[in-house]
Every structure is written in C-alpha cells, then in structure tokens.
Amino acid sequence: MKKIDQTTFHIRLFDERSKQATAIHRLHPISKLFVTLAYLFVIASFEKYDVFELVPLVFYPMIVTVLASLPFRSLSKQMLLALPFIIGIGITQPFFVDGDIALFKQMTISAGWIIFFTLLLKGILTVWATLLLFATTGAEKIGAALIALRIPKPLVLQFLLTYRYLSLLIEEAKRIRNAYSLRAPREKAIRLSIWATMIGQMLLRSFDRAERIYHAMKLRGFTIEQYGMTQQKMNVIDVAYLCSWMVLFTVYRLFPLSTWFEVIQ
C-alpha cells in the first residue's frame, strides 16, 4: 500500500516540478526535446566495451539537475526503480562472455563485466535524462513540441492519455489492494494464486473508467489542441542552448575520452 501511494505521489510531484520557473524550465520544449534525443543517441552510439567513454556524459544530467533546482535524492529514487530491469538485462554477460580486457598496463578485467558496467551506466544515464525532460517540461509541453514537429496527432494523443491514465491504473490497484486487505486482514501479501484474476480485474476496471472519461471529454468538445498546450516561440536563448549542447555532444563523440589519453601519451 505504501509503495502504491509513493508511486502516485511521485507522478504528481513530477507534474508540479515541471511548473517551476527556473532557467531550464523556461526553455522551449523543442530545444529540450532535441537535446535529450541527441544525448540518448550519443549514449547508444558507444560500443559495449566503452564504459570509460561514458563517464564524462554524466556532466550533462548533473548540470541540468542543478540549473533546474531539482532534488537529486528524489531523482535517484526514481532511477532506482529502473535499476533491477537494467541489472537483469546485463547480469548474464559476465557468465557468457569470455576473455579479458587490459585496462591499464598491469590490470585486466573480464570482458563480461565491462559489458555489464557499460549497460548499467547507459541505462542509468538514459533514465536520468528522460526523467529530467519530464521534470523540467511536463507531458503537455512535450506533446505541444511533438505537434509542432508534425508528429501525427493520434500518436501524440496516445502518448498524453497513456501518461495521464497511468495514475488511474495505480488508483485502481490501490482500491483492489484495499478490498483484499479488508477481506483477508491476516494475510500480509496477496496470494500468488489470485494474482492473475486481480490483475485482469484491475485492467478491465481501468479500461472501463478510462473509456467513460474519454467519452465525457469528447462530449465537451475535447480536441488535442485544447489539452492545456500553448504554442511557444523559440528565442535566442533556446537556440543557443540547443546549439551549445549539440556542438558539445558532437565534439565529444568524435573525440571521446580514449583519444585524450592518446594525445597525452
């Protein structure tokens, strides 16, 4: 129960933080969207053994977190939620990949562990950058940016409603958990034998409620343009922010950390 309440709280907290008035929050959504996509592309472009080349990329989310006045402790808790999935993807690498890689002149490490740490760092940086985009922009402004970029409106509508109905799904899970606790007060957890039935009921109730909400919205003349989105024009600061990070990402991708050590040697 406590975990469900915490999840709902964090979703609403992200919406509130996206309404702050810091320099990062005031930037145009398209600038932040393109910078985030470029950052994710640079992360994905590194090879599976380039764990040390990924380390300097930590500076981008750190700088944005500080400039946006976001609490790192709260962001780290959100990143920890994705950590089990990231570890689950990469933990098999040390057992199936043979060979060693020389890090320094007299130090070697298993190639499997290098791949694991590379995947781990890629996953953490990807989740961190995505959380920053939502915490500094908000779903509505991201939707407005997608519409301005000529993304098909049905896809944008699907993205926005999925984000909004996520809290609805969590509320239904909370109600079912409350009902189960009242009917079985002595049991600390839900029995595994009824998990499938409860999940099915939760999804059906969520779909039914979401459909009723959507029909009510359509009866009131809902269109995607009325989804609390206002078109904002880009200014010089927005373009400078976008170009600065694009140049930095491009330069670092062409000349990663390994090339710096080659020049020094």
Side-chain angles (χ1 to χ4, degrees):
M1 183 61 61
K2 185 178 179 181
K3 291 182 178 180
I4 295 177
D5 291 334
Q6 287 179 347
T7 303
T8 307
F9 170 76
H10 284 302
I11 291 176
R12 292 174 179 171
L13 188 62
F14 260 63
D15 290 336
E16 292 297 325
R17 284 176 178 158
S18 65
K19 299 175 183 178
Q20 294 178 208
T22 66
I24 297 295
H25 286 79
R26 289 193 295 267
L27 291 169
H28 198 281
I30 291 181
S31 295
K32 290 182 282 187
L33 180 62
F34 274 136
V35 169
T36 303
L37 292 176
Y39 180 72
L40 298 181
F41 177 78
V42 170
I43 291 175
S45 66
F46 282 101
E47 298 293 336
K48 57 185 177 180
Y49 298 119
D50 296 336
V51 60
F52 291 107
E53 276 78 359
L54 291 170
V55 174
L57 294 176
V58 177
F59 286 104
Y60 165 72
M62 287 180 61
I63 292 172
V64 174
T65 301
V66 173
L67 293 178
S69 300
L70 296 173
F72 180 75
R73 179 178 295 181
S74 178
L75 287 173
S76 62
K77 289 180 180 179
Q78 296 299 305
M79 288 188 286
L80 287 175
L81 295 176
L83 197 59
F85 300 98
I86 301 171
I87 294 176
I89 294 173
I91 196 61
T92 58
Q93 299 301 319
F95 303 101
F96 293 100
V97 178
D98 298 326
D100 296 327
I101 294 179
L103 297 181
F104 303 102
K105 292 182 179 180
Q106 298 179 348
M107 181 180 178
T108 60
I109 189 172
S110 170
W113 283 111
I114 290 290
I115 297 174
F116 170 73
F117 287 120
T118 302
L119 291 174
L120 182 64
L121 190 53
K122 280 186 174 183
I124 291 174
L125 294 177
T126 299
V127 173
W128 194 356
T130 306
L131 289 174
L132 287 175
L133 178 63
F134 277 88
T136 60
T137 310
E140 288 83 3
K141 291 184 178 179
I142 294 175
L146 294 175
I147 289 177
L149 295 172
R150 305 299 186 209
I151 302 298
K153 291 182 180 180
L155 296 179
V156 179
L157 180 63
Q158 187 71 29
F159 160 71
L160 292 172
L161 294 183
T162 300
Y163 180 80
R164 286 303 172 198
Y165 287 155
L166 184 61
S167 59
L168 186 66
L169 184 65
I170 295 172
E171 288 178 5
E172 289 296 336
K174 181 179 178 180
R175 292 180 181 178
I176 292 177
R177 183 69 178 88
N178 282 336
Y180 182 84
S181 299
L182 291 173
R183 288 170 174 79
R186 296 183 179 180
E187 296 188 15
K188 296 182 179 179
I190 300 175
R191 291 198 303 269
L192 187 62
S193 59
I194 64 172
W195 262 97
T197 303
M198 294 189 67
I199 292 175
Q201 291 179 355
M202 181 183 68
L203 290 175
L204 289 175
R205 291 179 59 176
S206 300
F207 290 155
D208 184 58
R209 187 178 173 189
E211 187 176 4
R212 292 199 305 269
I213 293 174
Y214 182 71
H215 285 318
M217 293 164 60
K218 294 295 289 184
L219 289 173
R220 288 169 173 82
F222 166 80
T223 60
I224 192 170
E225 288 80 5
Q226 298 173 352
Y227 200 84
M229 299 184 297
T230 56
Q231 294 293 340
Q232 175 185 351
K233 294 184 178 180
M234 295 186 68
N235 54 33
V236 177
I237 297 176
D238 301 321
V239 176
Y241 178 84
L242 174 62
C243 294
S244 299
W245 282 115
M246 287 293 188
V247 169
L248 288 174
F249 292 155
T250 303
V251 170
Y252 182 71
R253 189 61 191 92
L254 295 175
F255 306 100
L257 191 63
S258 57
T259 60
W260 301 359
F261 287 104
E262 292 176 3
V263 172
I264 293 174
Q265 292 176 357

